[in-house]
Structure formats: C-alpha cells, structure tokens
Amino acid sequence: MNQRPARRPAPRPPEGTPAPAELARMARSGLAGAARVAHWADAALGPGSDGATADGKATLSEATAERAAGDLGLTAAQVRADWDTARLAGLVEVHGETARPGWRLRAWDRDDSAVLRGWVALFDAWSLAHPEPAEFEAAAVAEVVSAMPQVLSFLQLSAGPVPVEQLLDLLRQRVTELRTERCEVPYETENGSGSAGPVAALRSADADPADRAPAEDPAPAEGAELAPLLDWSLHALASVGALTCGDAQATLTPLGSWAVWVKLEQICVAAQSPAGNIEVAAEEMLRGCAQLRPNAARAEYRAWLAARPVGSAVGELVDAARGEDALLRGLAFEALRVVGAPAEPDVRAVVEEPTLRPYALLWLAEHDGVDPEDAHEVLTREEATWLWVDTAAAVADHGEAPMLVRHLESALQPTVPALLDEVRAVGHPRTVQVLVALAAAHPDPALAKAVRRAAFQVHTGG
C-alpha cells in the first residue's frame, strides 16, 4: 500500500528532433519582433504612462504605436502585429486594463525553457494569432479549431509533407465525428465562400463534372465548406511558425513537430495514469484527481488541457467550479492555475459571482505575482470567512474528522465565539452542515456544544 509506482522514464523525442537549445534558438528567431517590441515597451512605457493602451484590453493606442514605430524603424501596423504576438506568447501580460512585461521577457536571453513555453503558448493560440475571415460561420470555425489537433497529430506522425487534400479528408471525418457526437445531421451552409487558398485551388483544378456526387450527397457540400477553413487554419499555423504550406502540401516545422509530440506525450501519460482522465468531462476529471498528490494532479490537469482547446477547457473548469461540490471548486481553480495567463479573462469575469469570488481573487493575486502565502491578504474578512466555510464543506464531504478539527485552527478569528459570529453572518449555504459536522468531530464537549448551538441558530434564522 505504501509502495510508490516506478517512475516512468523520461520519454525521448522522435529521432531527428533538434536539441532543446536549437529549438529555443528557432523560437527566439521566430519571436524576435515580438521580443523587441516587448523590450521597447518595458523601457519606454514606465509606470504611470498614460495612453499606452487604448481600450482597456491592452491594445496599443495610436500615439504609442506611432512612437514605437519611429523608435524601432517599423510601421505602426508591424508594431501592432508584434505587440499582439508578444501578448499571446506571454512576453507581455495583460492584467485588467493594463499590460506589463511578462516573466518570460525577463528570462528571454538566459532560459531556453521559458522561450519554448512562450512559443508553445503562441502555438496554442494560433486561431487568435491569425483570426478567421468575417464571412466564416462561427460554429464551423469552432468545429475546425476543435478538429485541428487530430490533423496536427497526423502531420507529426507522418514526419514529412502531407497532401492538403489528404488533410481535408481527415478534417472532414473529424468534423463529422464531432457533429455525430452532438447528434447533428450534416448541413449545408448558405454561403460557402471563402478566400481561395491551396485547398480550394486544388479542388477546382482537379474536379471533373462527371465525377461530382449527386446534389443530395452532403459530402461535397461539406468539403466545399471545410476547404477554405482548412486553408485558413494552415495559414494561421504557418504564421506562428508551426508548419509550412506550399505546392498543395503541408509540413510541420521542427518546432511544430516538437510541440505536437509534447502534447501527444502528455495525452499518453494521462491515458496510462491510474486516473486516466483524458477523455472525461471536467467535473469527472477533477473527481478523479481528488485523491492524487498535488504533483500527480497537476500532471493530470496538464494532460487533460493538452487534449482540448484552451477556451473550451477553461469554460468547462469554470462551470465545474460553479457546482455544489466545494472540493471540485478548489480543484477547478488549481487546474486553472496550470492553464495560467489564457484563463485570466474567464477568471476575471467571475469575480462578481459570490460563490467563486474568493477563489478568483486569490487566483488573480497569484497571477499578478503575489506570493501564494500572502495572497489571502487580498480578501476582505467576510470573503476569507466565506472561503473558510466553503473549504470546511469540502473537508466535511470528503475528508476525515481530524482534518475538520485542524481546519478550525486555520480560521482568521482569534476565538471560536468570534468565528461562529462571523460564520453566521456570511450566509454560506452550507453553514449548518459544516457546523454540525464540526460539532460531531471536535473532542472538546463544551466547544462542540457551542458549535451545535450556533448551527441550530443558523437553521432557525436566529
């Protein structure tokens, strides 16, 4: 029972993968423009600079973009593009309505792992780095973004150029699977227009009217719908340096191949783990991680996140945190800590939800660089008491009596009567259950009696 399983040997990347130092050199080269703009902003836009950003979302203002363009010998459009890339790569971090240098920028010249993490963050955000044309339907775009990991995995396993037509067939199959999982029938779009890229050109050149399927067959319509979307996806991935596309073929770059391999390896680790949470929904995944040690749980979170688009994954975790199980609430925010900067907008959006507010404030404080030991200082006394009750509810539901007694010692209030007064005042929906469980667990009869009395008063509205 006490023996730990043998540690899995560190996997080796596929033969021919450049060394980490060489991969970091490639990433630095690809992100050189973004790093230059981020360094410029760090030096030129000190604390208190007004007008640096325009819209409360850390978008550069006209004046700042023109100033940077003059200083760096670029156009304002180039500065904006590099700035957006710097944000996606974590060289610039957005905090509320302001932007500031990210920790990766500080470590840029000396830490290869920080550089590679920054590039992978950009790779994960490929659909944001090169937004889709306005004429594409949002639902179709979401399907293609969800299906692209399988396309990228096929490219990685192929270890060489793959015809775009073959990728289109794979994309069509994956999208059909996604629609089938949602119990949808294939549909034809009213407007199948899109920018003519390599897929569209290939299909129009090779098509023979005699070979076309009957009008009632939905597959050609789906292919026509997906061809421009695949073109956009390939160009977007090429824009971040993940692949090259030409002569109706696509090939992963060394960086792209390495990043996809890393994500596949994370998925394999999860599939082989005792919990095996890779394919389940967020709530079930969190339940599976509840009994794991912190490091093992974080590995599960990383693998689960690697298997799905970051936006939908964050949404699932936030929804799980809104449930009635306080343990899942805490675990969901632990998983969001693994997500890091991409989760900030969603976390900030739930700050006003009473159930999630203390967790969100702590997450944001730690994200802003506050030491986790001091992060609780951002909470008001009432918020801290609410969090104490919520954590006690998790212990009462899933822990043992001694844990609940020890939890009593973590309260901010100096005395039990003071704690009971403030616990009654915060109005947590689990207050009565927590107090009853605490009274049953505490070995001191006098204290247990006082806690039971407080539980009765809360129950009766006193």
Side-chain angles (χ1 to χ4, degrees), residues 239-310:
S239 73
V240 301
L243 55 76
T244 59
C245 192
D247 298 327
Q249 293 182 323
T251 309
L252 286 178
T253 63
L255 269 174
S257 179
W258 167 79
V260 175
W261 171 79
V262 168
K263 293 184 177 298
L264 287 173
E265 182 60 27
Q266 289 174 336
I267 292 171
C268 290
V269 169
Q272 296 171 11
S273 70
N277 298 298
I278 193 64
E279 294 183 356
V280 301
E283 183 172 334
E284 188 176 348
M285 181 272 293
L286 294 172
R287 292 190 189 281
C289 293
Q291 302 302 321
L292 299 179
R293 294 176 180 272
N295 286 341
R298 281 190 288 270
E300 291 283 334
Y301 301 151
R302 281 192 292 269
W304 185 86
L305 291 164
R308 45 192 44 79
V310 66

Coordinates of all heavy atoms in Angstrom, one line a residue, residues 239-310:
S239 N 1.7 31.1 -39.8 CA 2.0 32.4 -39.4 C 2.7 32.4 -38.0 O 3.4 33.3 -37.6 CB 0.8 33.3 -39.3 OG -0.1 32.9 -38.2
V240 N 2.5 31.3 -37.2 CA 3.1 31.2 -35.9 C 4.4 30.3 -36.0 O 5.0 30.1 -34.9 CB 2.2 30.7 -34.8 CG1 1.0 31.6 -34.7 CG2 1.7 29.2 -35.1
G241 N 4.7 29.8 -37.2 CA 5.9 29.0 -37.3 C 5.7 27.6 -37.0 O 6.7 26.9 -36.8
A242 N 4.5 27.1 -37.0 CA 4.3 25.6 -36.7 C 4.4 24.7 -37.9 O 4.7 23.6 -37.8 CB 2.9 25.4 -36.1
L243 N 4.1 25.3 -39.1 CA 4.2 24.5 -40.3 C 4.5 25.3 -41.5 O 4.5 26.6 -41.5 CB 2.9 23.6 -40.5 CG 1.6 24.3 -40.6 CD1 1.3 25.1 -41.9 CD2 0.5 23.3 -40.4
T244 N 4.8 24.7 -42.6 CA 5.0 25.4 -43.9 C 4.0 24.8 -44.9 O 3.6 23.6 -44.8 CB 6.4 25.2 -44.5 OG1 6.7 23.8 -44.6 CG2 7.4 25.8 -43.6
C245 N 3.5 25.5 -45.8 CA 2.4 25.1 -46.7 C 2.8 25.6 -48.1 O 2.9 26.8 -48.3 CB 1.1 25.6 -46.3 SG -0.3 24.8 -47.1
G246 N 2.9 24.7 -49.1 CA 3.2 25.1 -50.4 C 3.1 23.9 -51.3 O 3.2 22.7 -50.9
D247 N 2.8 24.1 -52.6 CA 2.6 23.0 -53.6 C 1.6 22.0 -53.2 O 1.8 20.8 -53.3 CB 4.0 22.3 -53.9 CG 5.0 23.2 -54.4 OD1 4.7 24.2 -55.2 OD2 6.2 23.1 -54.1
A248 N 0.5 22.5 -52.6 CA -0.6 21.7 -52.1 C -0.2 20.7 -51.1 O -0.7 19.6 -51.0 CB -1.3 21.0 -53.3
Q249 N 0.9 21.0 -50.3 CA 1.3 20.1 -49.3 C 1.6 20.9 -48.0 O 1.9 22.1 -48.1 CB 2.6 19.4 -49.7 CG 2.5 18.4 -50.8 CD 3.8 17.7 -51.1 OE1 4.8 18.3 -51.1 NE2 3.7 16.4 -51.4
A250 N 1.5 20.3 -46.9 CA 1.8 20.9 -45.6 C 2.8 20.1 -44.8 O 2.8 18.8 -44.9 CB 0.5 21.0 -44.7
T251 N 3.8 20.7 -44.2 CA 4.8 20.1 -43.4 C 5.0 20.8 -42.1 O 5.2 22.0 -42.1 CB 6.1 20.1 -44.2 OG1 5.9 19.6 -45.5 CG2 7.2 19.2 -43.5
L252 N 5.1 20.0 -41.0 CA 5.4 20.7 -39.7 C 6.8 21.1 -39.7 O 7.7 20.4 -40.2 CB 5.1 19.7 -38.6 CG 3.7 19.4 -38.2 CD1 3.7 18.3 -37.1 CD2 3.0 20.6 -37.8
T253 N 7.1 22.3 -39.1 CA 8.4 22.7 -38.8 C 9.0 21.9 -37.7 O 8.3 21.2 -37.0 CB 8.5 24.2 -38.5 OG1 7.7 24.4 -37.3 CG2 7.8 25.0 -39.6
P254 N 10.3 21.9 -37.5 CA 10.8 21.2 -36.3 C 10.2 21.7 -35.0 O 9.9 20.9 -34.1 CB 12.3 21.6 -36.3 CG 12.6 21.8 -37.8 CD 11.4 22.5 -38.3
L255 N 9.9 23.0 -34.8 CA 9.2 23.5 -33.6 C 7.8 22.9 -33.6 O 7.4 22.5 -32.5 CB 9.2 25.0 -33.6 CG 10.3 25.7 -33.0 CD1 10.2 27.2 -33.2 CD2 10.4 25.4 -31.5
G256 N 7.1 23.0 -34.7 CA 5.8 22.4 -34.7 C 5.7 21.0 -34.4 O 4.8 20.5 -33.6
S257 N 6.6 20.2 -35.0 CA 6.6 18.8 -34.7 C 6.9 18.5 -33.3 O 6.3 17.6 -32.7 CB 7.7 18.1 -35.6 OG 7.8 16.7 -35.4
W258 N 7.9 19.2 -32.7 CA 8.2 19.0 -31.3 C 7.0 19.3 -30.4 O 6.7 18.6 -29.5 CB 9.4 19.9 -30.9 CG 9.7 20.0 -29.5 CD1 10.3 19.0 -28.7 CD2 9.3 21.0 -28.6 NE1 10.3 19.5 -27.3 CE2 9.7 20.7 -27.3 CE3 8.6 22.3 -28.8 CZ2 9.5 21.6 -26.2 CZ3 8.4 23.1 -27.8 CH2 8.8 22.8 -26.5
A259 N 6.3 20.4 -30.7 CA 5.2 20.9 -29.8 C 4.1 19.8 -29.9 O 3.5 19.5 -28.8 CB 4.7 22.2 -30.2
V260 N 3.8 19.3 -31.1 CA 2.7 18.3 -31.2 C 3.1 17.0 -30.5 O 2.3 16.4 -29.8 CB 2.4 18.1 -32.7 CG1 1.4 16.9 -32.8 CG2 1.9 19.3 -33.3
W261 N 4.4 16.7 -30.6 CA 4.9 15.5 -29.9 C 4.7 15.6 -28.4 O 4.3 14.7 -27.7 CB 6.3 15.2 -30.2 CG 6.9 14.1 -29.4 CD1 6.8 12.8 -29.5 CD2 7.7 14.3 -28.2 NE1 7.4 12.1 -28.5 CE2 8.0 13.0 -27.7 CE3 8.2 15.4 -27.5 CZ2 8.8 12.8 -26.6 CZ3 9.0 15.2 -26.4 CH2 9.3 13.9 -25.9
V262 N 5.1 16.8 -27.9 CA 4.9 17.1 -26.4 C 3.5 16.9 -26.0 O 3.2 16.2 -24.9 CB 5.4 18.5 -26.1 CG1 5.0 18.8 -24.6 CG2 7.0 18.6 -26.2
K263 N 2.6 17.4 -26.7 CA 1.2 17.3 -26.4 C 0.7 15.8 -26.5 O -0.1 15.4 -25.7 CB 0.3 18.2 -27.2 CG 0.6 19.7 -26.9 CD -0.3 20.6 -27.7 CE 0.1 22.1 -27.3 NZ -0.2 22.3 -25.8
L264 N 1.1 15.1 -27.5 CA 0.8 13.7 -27.6 C 1.3 12.9 -26.5 O 0.6 12.0 -25.9 CB 1.3 13.1 -28.9 CG 0.6 13.6 -30.2 CD1 1.3 13.1 -31.4 CD2 -0.9 13.1 -30.2
E265 N 2.5 13.2 -26.0 CA 3.1 12.5 -24.9 C 2.3 12.8 -23.6 O 2.1 11.9 -22.8 CB 4.6 13.0 -24.7 CG 5.3 12.3 -23.6 CD 5.4 10.8 -23.8 OE1 5.4 10.3 -25.0 OE2 5.5 10.1 -22.8
Q266 N 1.9 14.1 -23.4 CA 1.1 14.4 -22.3 C -0.2 13.6 -22.3 O -0.6 13.1 -21.2 CB 0.8 15.9 -22.2 CG 2.0 16.7 -21.9 CD 1.7 18.2 -22.0 OE1 0.7 18.6 -22.8 NE2 2.4 19.0 -21.4
I267 N -0.8 13.4 -23.4 CA -2.0 12.6 -23.5 C -1.8 11.2 -23.2 O -2.5 10.5 -22.5 CB -2.6 12.8 -24.9 CG1 -3.1 14.2 -25.1 CG2 -3.8 11.8 -25.2 CD1 -3.5 14.5 -26.6
C268 N -0.6 10.6 -23.7 CA -0.3 9.2 -23.4 C -0.1 9.0 -21.9 O -0.5 8.0 -21.4 CB 0.9 8.8 -24.2 SG 0.6 8.7 -26.0
V269 N 0.6 10.0 -21.3 CA 0.8 9.9 -19.8 C -0.5 9.8 -19.1 O -0.7 9.0 -18.2 CB 1.7 11.1 -19.3 CG1 1.7 11.1 -17.8 CG2 3.1 11.0 -19.9
A270 N -1.5 10.7 -19.5 CA -2.8 10.6 -18.8 C -3.5 9.3 -19.1 O -4.1 8.8 -18.2 CB -3.6 11.8 -19.3
A271 N -3.4 8.8 -20.3 CA -4.1 7.6 -20.6 C -3.5 6.4 -19.8 O -4.2 5.4 -19.5 CB -4.0 7.3 -22.1
Q272 N -2.2 6.5 -19.5 CA -1.6 5.4 -18.8 C -1.6 5.6 -17.2 O -1.2 4.7 -16.5 CB -0.1 5.2 -19.2 CG 0.0 4.8 -20.7 CD 1.5 4.9 -21.1 OE1 2.4 5.1 -20.3 NE2 1.7 4.8 -22.4
S273 N -2.1 6.7 -16.8 CA -2.2 7.0 -15.4 C -3.3 6.3 -14.7 O -4.2 5.8 -15.3 CB -2.3 8.5 -15.2 OG -3.6 8.9 -15.5
P274 N -3.2 6.1 -13.4 CA -4.3 5.4 -12.6 C -5.6 6.1 -12.8 O -6.7 5.4 -12.9 CB -3.8 5.5 -11.2 CG -2.3 5.7 -11.3 CD -2.1 6.5 -12.5
A275 N -5.6 7.4 -12.9 CA -6.9 8.1 -13.0 C -7.4 8.1 -14.5 O -8.6 7.9 -14.7 CB -6.7 9.6 -12.6
G276 N -6.6 8.2 -15.5 CA -7.0 8.1 -16.9 C -8.1 9.0 -17.2 O -9.2 8.6 -17.7
N277 N -7.9 10.3 -17.0 CA -8.9 11.3 -17.1 C -9.0 12.0 -18.5 O -9.7 13.0 -18.6 CB -8.7 12.4 -16.1 CG -8.8 11.8 -14.7 OD1 -9.9 11.3 -14.3 ND2 -7.8 11.9 -13.9
I278 N -8.3 11.5 -19.4 CA -8.0 12.3 -20.6 C -9.3 12.6 -21.4 O -9.5 13.6 -22.0 CB -7.0 11.6 -21.5 CG1 -6.5 12.6 -22.6 CG2 -7.5 10.3 -22.1 CD1 -5.8 13.8 -22.1
E279 N -10.3 11.6 -21.4 CA -11.4 11.8 -22.3 C -12.7 12.2 -21.5 O -13.8 12.4 -22.2 CB -11.7 10.5 -23.0 CG -10.6 10.1 -24.0 CD -10.9 8.8 -24.8 OE1 -12.0 8.2 -24.5 OE2 -10.1 8.4 -25.6
V280 N -12.6 12.4 -20.3 CA -13.9 12.7 -19.5 C -14.1 14.2 -19.4 O -13.2 15.0 -19.7 CB -13.8 12.1 -18.1 CG1 -13.7 10.5 -18.2 CG2 -12.7 12.6 -17.3
A281 N -15.3 14.6 -18.9 CA -15.6 16.0 -18.7 C -14.8 16.5 -17.5 O -14.3 15.8 -16.7 CB -17.1 16.2 -18.6
A282 N -14.8 17.8 -17.4 CA -14.0 18.5 -16.4 C -14.4 18.0 -15.0 O -13.5 17.7 -14.1 CB -14.2 20.0 -16.5
E283 N -15.7 17.9 -14.7 CA -16.1 17.6 -13.3 C -15.6 16.2 -13.0 O -15.1 15.9 -11.9 CB -17.6 17.6 -13.2 CG -18.2 17.3 -11.9 CD -19.7 17.6 -11.7 OE1 -20.2 18.4 -12.5 OE2 -20.3 17.0 -10.9
E284 N -15.7 15.2 -13.9 CA -15.3 13.9 -13.7 C -13.8 13.8 -13.5 O -13.2 13.1 -12.7 CB -15.8 12.9 -14.8 CG -15.5 11.5 -14.5 CD -16.1 10.6 -15.6 OE1 -16.9 11.1 -16.4 OE2 -15.8 9.4 -15.6
M285 N -13.1 14.6 -14.4 CA -11.6 14.7 -14.3 C -11.2 15.2 -12.9 O -10.3 14.6 -12.3 CB -11.1 15.6 -15.4 CG -9.6 15.7 -15.4 SD -8.9 17.0 -14.3 CE -9.6 18.5 -15.1
L286 N -11.9 16.2 -12.4 CA -11.5 16.7 -11.1 C -11.8 15.7 -10.0 O -11.0 15.6 -9.1 CB -12.3 18.0 -10.8 CG -11.9 19.2 -11.8 CD1 -12.9 20.4 -11.5 CD2 -10.5 19.7 -11.6
R287 N -12.8 15.0 -10.1 CA -13.1 13.9 -9.1 C -12.0 12.9 -9.1 O -11.6 12.4 -8.1 CB -14.5 13.3 -9.3 CG -15.7 14.2 -9.1 CD -17.0 13.5 -9.1 NE -18.1 14.4 -9.1 CZ -18.5 15.0 -7.9 NH1 -17.9 14.8 -6.8 NH2 -19.5 15.9 -8.0
G288 N -11.6 12.6 -10.3 CA -10.5 11.6 -10.5 C -9.2 12.0 -9.9 O -8.4 11.2 -9.5
C289 N -9.0 13.3 -9.8 CA -7.7 13.9 -9.3 C -7.8 14.2 -7.8 O -6.8 14.5 -7.2 CB -7.4 15.2 -10.0 SG -7.0 15.0 -11.8
A290 N -9.0 14.0 -7.2 CA -9.1 14.4 -5.8 C -8.2 13.7 -4.9 O -7.8 14.2 -3.9 CB -10.6 14.2 -5.4
Q291 N -7.9 12.4 -5.2 CA -7.1 11.6 -4.3 C -5.7 11.5 -4.7 O -4.9 10.8 -4.0 CB -7.7 10.1 -4.3 CG -9.1 10.0 -3.8 CD -9.4 10.6 -2.4 OE1 -8.5 10.4 -1.5 NE2 -10.5 11.3 -2.3
L292 N -5.3 12.3 -5.7 CA -3.9 12.3 -6.1 C -3.0 13.3 -5.4 O -3.6 14.3 -4.8 CB -3.8 12.6 -7.6 CG -4.5 11.7 -8.6 CD1 -4.4 12.2 -10.0 CD2 -4.0 10.3 -8.4
R293 N -1.8 13.0 -5.3 CA -0.8 14.0 -4.7 C -0.8 15.3 -5.6 O -1.1 15.2 -6.8 CB 0.6 13.4 -4.6 CG 0.6 12.3 -3.6 CD 2.0 11.7 -3.6 NE 2.2 10.6 -2.6 CZ 2.5 10.7 -1.4 NH1 2.7 12.0 -0.9 NH2 2.6 9.7 -0.5
P294 N -0.5 16.4 -5.1 CA -0.5 17.7 -5.9 C 0.2 17.6 -7.2 O -0.3 18.0 -8.2 CB 0.1 18.7 -4.9 CG -0.2 18.2 -3.6 CD -0.1 16.7 -3.7
N295 N 1.5 17.0 -7.2 CA 2.2 16.9 -8.4 C 1.6 16.0 -9.5 O 1.5 16.3 -10.7 CB 3.7 16.5 -8.2 CG 4.5 17.5 -7.5 OD1 4.2 18.7 -7.6 ND2 5.6 17.1 -6.9
A296 N 1.0 14.9 -9.0 CA 0.3 14.0 -9.9 C -0.9 14.6 -10.4 O -1.3 14.4 -11.6 CB 0.0 12.7 -9.2
A297 N -1.6 15.3 -9.6 CA -2.9 16.0 -10.0 C -2.5 17.1 -11.1 O -3.2 17.2 -12.1 CB -3.6 16.7 -8.9
R298 N -1.5 17.8 -10.9 CA -1.1 18.8 -11.9 C -0.7 18.2 -13.2 O -1.0 18.7 -14.3 CB 0.1 19.7 -11.4 CG -0.4 20.8 -10.4 CD 0.7 21.7 -10.1 NE 1.7 21.1 -9.2 CZ 1.7 21.2 -7.9 NH1 0.7 21.8 -7.3 NH2 2.7 20.6 -7.2
A299 N -0.1 17.0 -13.2 CA 0.2 16.3 -14.4 C -1.0 15.9 -15.1 O -1.2 16.0 -16.4 CB 1.1 15.1 -14.1
E300 N -2.0 15.5 -14.4 CA -3.3 15.1 -15.0 C -4.0 16.4 -15.6 O -4.6 16.3 -16.7 CB -4.3 14.5 -13.9 CG -3.8 13.1 -13.4 CD -4.2 12.0 -14.4 OE1 -5.1 12.2 -15.2 OE2 -3.5 11.0 -14.4
Y301 N -3.9 17.5 -14.9 CA -4.5 18.7 -15.4 C -3.9 19.1 -16.7 O -4.5 19.4 -17.7 CB -4.3 19.9 -14.4 CG -5.0 19.7 -13.1 CD1 -4.4 20.3 -12.0 CD2 -6.1 18.9 -12.9 CE1 -4.9 20.2 -10.7 CE2 -6.6 18.7 -11.6 CZ -6.1 19.4 -10.5 OH -6.6 19.2 -9.3
R302 N -2.5 19.0 -16.8 CA -1.8 19.4 -18.0 C -2.2 18.5 -19.2 O -2.4 19.0 -20.3 CB -0.3 19.3 -17.7 CG 0.2 20.5 -17.0 CD 1.8 20.6 -17.0 NE 2.4 19.5 -16.3 CZ 2.7 19.6 -15.0 NH1 2.5 20.7 -14.3 NH2 3.2 18.5 -14.4
A303 N -2.3 17.2 -18.9 CA -2.6 16.3 -20.0 C -4.1 16.5 -20.4 O -4.3 16.5 -21.6 CB -2.4 14.8 -19.5
W304 N -5.0 16.7 -19.5 CA -6.4 16.9 -19.9 C -6.5 18.2 -20.7 O -7.2 18.3 -21.7 CB -7.2 17.0 -18.6 CG -8.7 17.2 -18.8 CD1 -9.6 16.2 -19.0 CD2 -9.4 18.4 -18.8 NE1 -10.8 16.7 -19.1 CE2 -10.8 18.1 -19.0 CE3 -9.1 19.7 -18.7 CZ2 -11.8 19.0 -19.1 CZ3 -10.1 20.7 -18.8 CH2 -11.4 20.3 -19.0
L305 N -5.8 19.2 -20.3 CA -5.8 20.5 -21.0 C -5.2 20.4 -22.4 O -5.6 21.0 -23.4 CB -5.0 21.6 -20.2 CG -5.7 22.0 -18.9 CD1 -4.7 22.8 -18.1 CD2 -6.9 22.9 -19.2
A306 N -4.1 19.5 -22.5 CA -3.5 19.4 -23.8 C -4.4 18.7 -24.8 O -4.2 18.9 -26.1 CB -2.2 18.6 -23.6
A307 N -5.4 18.0 -24.4 CA -6.2 17.3 -25.3 C -7.4 18.0 -25.8 O -8.2 17.5 -26.6 CB -6.7 16.0 -24.6
R308 N -7.5 19.3 -25.5 CA -8.7 20.1 -25.9 C -8.3 21.6 -26.0 O -7.4 22.0 -25.4 CB -9.9 19.9 -24.9 CG -9.4 20.0 -23.5 CD -10.5 19.6 -22.5 NE -11.2 18.4 -22.7 CZ -10.7 17.1 -22.5 NH1 -9.5 17.0 -22.0 NH2 -11.5 16.1 -22.7
P309 N -9.1 22.3 -26.8 CA -8.8 23.8 -27.0 C -8.9 24.5 -25.7 O -9.8 24.2 -24.8 CB -9.9 24.2 -27.9 CG -10.4 23.0 -28.7 CD -10.2 21.9 -27.7
V310 N -8.0 25.4 -25.4 CA -7.8 26.0 -24.1 C -9.1 26.8 -23.8 O -9.5 26.8 -22.6 CB -6.6 26.9 -24.1 CG1 -6.8 28.1 -25.0 CG2 -6.4 27.4 -22.6

